[in-house]
Amino acid sequence: MSTTETRSTGGVSVTKQVSGKPRMTDKTRAEARLGWYLAGPAFVILVAVTGYPILQALYESLFSFRLTAPADREFIGLKNYGVILSDSLWWKALGNTAMITVVTVAVELVIGFALAMVMHKVLGWLRPIVRTAILIPYAVITVVSAYAWQYAFGLTTGFMNTVLGLGDYDVFAHKWSALAVICLSEIWKTTPFISLLLLAGLAQVPSDMTEAAKVDGATAWERLWKVTLPNMKASIMVALLFRALDAFRIFDNVYIMTNGAAGTETVSSLAYNQTISRLEIGLGSAVSVLLFVCVLAICFVAIKVFKVDLARARGEG
Amino acid sequence: MSTKEKTGWYVGALLIVLYAIVPVLYIVSMSFKSETALSDKQFFPSDWTWTNYSGIFAGNGSDLFLPALRNSIITCLVATLIAVVLAMFAAYAIARLNFPGKRIVLTSALAVAVFPVITMVTPLFNLWRQIGLYDTIPGLVIPYLALTLPISIWTMSAFFRGIPWDMEQAAQVDGATNWQAFRKVIVPLAAPGVFTTAIIAFFIAWNDFVFGISLTSTKAAQPVPAALSSFTGSSYFVQPTGAISAAAVIVTIPVVILALVFQRRIVAGLTNGAVKG
């Protein structure tokens, strides 16, 4: 059996074939042992805290199991999955989650890029102020931001209905307006993260290339599309993937603002409601497993179809 | 850059500042409104009052809020400490040593970082109830490691790659052991990265809501975000808007101060961890 091993030494990657049992000198063997002594505990905990739950969820999802009637626990194979996949509630929740993911990530990419450009260009005393301001939404916990947006749009508490001229329209009683506010609060809270990643990407665009394009008479718009963006492709893709995976797990905003009412259920809130509110462990586990499968699918599509190369984007060459 | 262009960027900068602070200002202003003014639909209160704050610190809200604040502080500090110590050793190994499986450690950290937390809730809810960890602080610290450990490993290994490791070898040539060289030379150089990592990990733990509402039920372990969602008003018919706003401001103050004081480091930490790894 042969394995390919890539190791980087001081920025240079050496790929070598290790056939059969690798021959190691005492020094490399000691180094490997020390490496695992040091990294082992963190690795074991990482695997244990997520590996155990996913395996347990897989197992529980094969049972008909309600905590209120534990004696009736019964092995039913894949029936729970059948129940969920044939229920319109699941498809609605999946649709909402997909919609929230696409909308928030798309809007965040545009706003985040604009914020990154401003942070990149503004110099002097204003720069630290802008950088600090942008960290405020990042630092504010999601629940607090959800309350702020809920109160701002609330029928009895909010000023937004007056500002937008909506009168007595109850934003949270209607599906699309409720989802819009959920998206708004998600966008407000997480755009800073995407814009900081894009700012780091902007810093990696070679300035002599933009200068050369300028000398050649390219307009600002052409420089953006032909020089800046192509050079930032790796960091844009990484930012997109990270935010998409994060948005797909959306829960806090939904729980606070509507708790899934008015047809705003997402995959995470569906899993939560099955398990914690209804104590349907079997069904809840199956929803959790399906959510996990969706996240895997997003990763797979990003890496295989869009060729997001995390290692390259992370400067590992 | 022309003056016109410059002015444009400066206007953009002011817009960013407004974007960032308006929702926060609104919750602050709500927290200073009296019970009757809460429904006046104004941005700023017409008369400022401390009632909401005295309610959560000394009044009938304090019974729920103060234990929750204590729980949040203890849980997040312990989870941050464990994650940072473990990640420090792992990041040292990743940045400094050649060992088979280095990529596996980094890849699994990445996988755990994108793992849907709600998937952990069902099995843990069940197991914690069976083994007595439900509604306890350790029962919250353990799942918090799934949140804090991955980002700590990535952020810190990015910092550690920038450390001039030759200095450690020089110390070893001078007769220091591996451990001495690590402790005396590398630890002081690594301290800023470790500190930044700790702040970011703390932010992440402080932000948790899913575990808080699923794995706790009483003031024995319930953290602030979960407690916020279970506030009740002065009577069942009054919405606890004022109390929630005041409590929201209190949990926001420490993290915003940390963000203001350490903005440079946090920006570096977040971008290094995500872009350079």
Side-chain angles (χ1 to χ4, degrees):
Chain A
M1 209 174 92
S2 91
T3 49
T4 310
E5 182 195 32
T6 311
R7 54 163 74 168
S8 51
T9 349
V12 187
S13 300
V14 188
T15 306
K16 64 171 188 180
Q17 290 290 330
V18 186
S19 304
K21 214 175 173 188
R23 285 177 60 191
M24 289 172 122
T25 63
D26 279 350
K27 189 163 176 290
T28 53
R29 200 177 296 132
E31 200 170 296
R33 203 184 306 129
L34 180 63
W36 273 107
Y37 279 150
L38 293 173
F43 179 71
V44 168
I45 288 185
L46 278 181
V47 173
V49 289
T50 46
Y52 157 72
I54 189 66
L55 291 178
Q56 183 70 19
L58 269 171
Y59 175 74
E60 301 274 19
S61 71
L62 303 176
F63 288 85
S64 159
F65 182 26
R66 277 201 83 155
L67 270 187
T68 44
D72 297 344
R73 187 183 148 120
E74 189 193 345
F75 181 81
I76 53 163
L78 296 174
K79 241 184 198 156
N80 281 329
Y81 294 96
V83 170
I84 294 164
L85 293 176
S86 61
D87 192 323
S88 65
L89 196 60
W90 157 262
W91 295 107
K92 233 189 246 169
L94 186 67
N96 287 343
T97 313
M99 199 274 295
I100 292 172
T101 306
V102 171
V103 169
T104 58
V105 173
V107 174
E108 283 177 26
L109 191 65
V110 176
I111 303 180
F113 188 75
L115 299 192
M117 282 298 271
V118 173
M119 283 194 284
H120 191 63
K121 295 278 182 178
V122 168
L123 299 170
W125 56 273
L126 206 52
R127 193 171 210 177
I129 293 179
V130 173
R131 265 219 280 204
T132 310
I134 206 145
L135 279 180
I136 290 176
Y138 171 79
V140 168
I141 66 175
T142 316
V143 171
V144 168
S145 118
Y147 274 118
W149 287 90
Q150 192 199 23
Y151 292 156
F153 281 92
L155 202 50
T156 53
T157 50
F159 65 97
M160 282 308 282
N161 270 19
T162 322
V163 171
L164 299 174
L166 290 174
D168 281 342
Y169 181 80
D170 187 354
V171 166
F172 297 106
H174 301 87
K175 181 178 175 174
W176 296 110
S177 51
L179 283 175
V181 179
I182 288 169
C183 286
L184 267 180
S185 71
E186 178 83 358
I187 290 166
W188 177 76
K189 159 88 181 126
T190 51
T191 302
F193 178 71
I194 218 168
S195 71
L196 288 175
L197 291 189
L198 295 178
L199 179 64
L202 267 179
Q204 286 168 351
V205 175
S207 59
D208 47 340
M209 276 175 81
T210 27
E211 285 308 314
K214 206 173 183 175
V215 172
D216 290 345
T219 63
W221 191 247
E222 285 169 342
R223 293 201 300 273
L224 176 67
W225 281 101
K226 302 233 162 98
V227 183
T228 310
L229 288 179
N231 273 295
M232 289 173 65
K233 201 178 158 232
S235 48
I236 292 174
M237 289 311 244
V238 170
L240 275 181
L241 175 59
F242 273 34
R243 270 301 307 143
L245 290 168
D246 199 35
F248 204 82
R249 303 181 287 187
I250 186 167
F251 177 75
D252 306 14
N253 283 321
V254 178
Y255 182 93
I256 296 294
M257 292 196 201
T258 61
N259 199 8
T264 56
E265 198 106 55
T266 64
V267 176
S268 282
S269 73
L270 191 65
Y272 175 85
N273 285 333
Q274 289 302 323
T275 309
I276 311 291
S277 312
R278 299 187 57 213
L279 301 174
E280 290 269 13
I281 301 294
L283 273 177
S285 299
V287 177
S288 300
V289 171
L290 288 174
L291 173 59
F292 179 69
V293 171
C294 292
V295 166
L296 279 185
I298 296 176
C299 288
F300 182 82
V301 169
I303 291 165
K304 293 287 169 196
V305 180
F306 292 101
K307 311 256 185 269
V308 178
D309 186 351
L310 288 169
R312 168 111 35 97
R314 282 162 190 282
E316 284 171 3
Chain B
M1 219 186 282
S2 69
T3 326
K4 199 180 147 199
E5 219 175 309
K6 226 176 197 169
T7 321
W9 293 120
Y10 278 46
V11 170
L14 287 178
L15 284 177
I16 292 185
V17 175
L18 279 179
Y19 164 91
I21 63 169
V22 166
V24 179
L25 272 189
Y26 187 59
I27 201 112
V28 171
S29 108
M30 291 294 278
S31 74
F32 284 107
K33 283 183 179 177
S34 66
E35 209 165 283
T36 46
L38 279 168
S39 51
D40 65 4
K41 303 187 183 182
Q42 300 297 313
F43 193 95
F44 289 109
S46 41
D47 52 336
W48 299 71
T49 166
W50 287 98
T51 334
N52 297 319
Y53 289 93
S54 57
I56 55 163
F57 278 109
N60 50 12
S62 65
D63 202 32
L64 187 63
F65 181 68
L66 292 179
L69 195 57
R70 182 207 59 192
N71 294 336
S72 265
I73 293 170
I74 295 174
T75 313
C76 295
L77 284 181
V78 174
T80 302
L81 185 75
I82 297 175
V84 167
V85 170
L86 290 175
M88 192 167 71
F89 292 123
Y92 171 82
I94 289 163
R96 182 76 183 95
L97 304 173
N98 265 318
F99 65 102
K102 195 151 88 169
R103 285 185 84 84
I104 296 174
V105 177
L106 277 173
T107 311
S108 58
L110 200 60
V112 173
V114 299
F115 193 83
V117 265
I118 210 96
T119 304
M120 295 174 66
V121 162
T122 312
L124 287 183
F125 174 70
N126 220 353
L127 179 72
W128 272 196
R129 288 175 42 233
Q130 283 162 17
I131 63 175
L133 277 175
Y134 182 72
D135 203 21
T136 64
I137 286 181
L140 217 45
V141 168
I142 296 169
Y144 275 17
L145 290 178
L147 305 174
T148 53
L149 204 46
I151 190 135
S152 301
I153 292 176
W154 274 103
T155 311
M156 217 157 359
S157 48
F159 273 116
F160 278 19
R161 275 195 197 147
I163 290 176
W165 295 99
D166 315 357
M167 288 179 68
E168 188 196 29
Q169 273 173 355
Q172 281 174 8
V173 170
D174 287 347
T177 62
N178 264 336
W179 171 242
Q180 279 174 329
F182 175 71
R183 198 166 53 91
K184 297 238 166 94
V185 180
I186 297 307
V187 169
L189 281 173
V194 173
F195 182 70
T196 307
T197 307
I199 292 179
I200 294 173
F202 184 81
F203 275 13
I204 306 253
W206 196 249
N207 188 42
D208 162 71
F209 180 61
V210 176
F211 293 130
I213 55 163
S214 311
L215 304 177
T216 68
S217 60
T218 68
K219 58 185 177 185
Q222 200 169 41
V224 179
L228 276 181
S229 70
S230 57
F231 265 12
T232 47
S234 52
S235 84
Y236 280 110
F237 302 104
V238 179
Q239 282 294 313
T241 309
I244 288 175
S245 307
V249 172
I250 298 297
V251 286
T252 304
I253 289 172
V255 283
V256 167
I257 290 177
L258 281 176
L260 299 188
V261 175
F262 300 109
Q263 50 105 352
R264 244 168 196 292
R265 284 161 182 258
I266 296 167
V267 170
L270 282 175
T271 50
N272 279 351
V275 181
K276 282 189 206 147

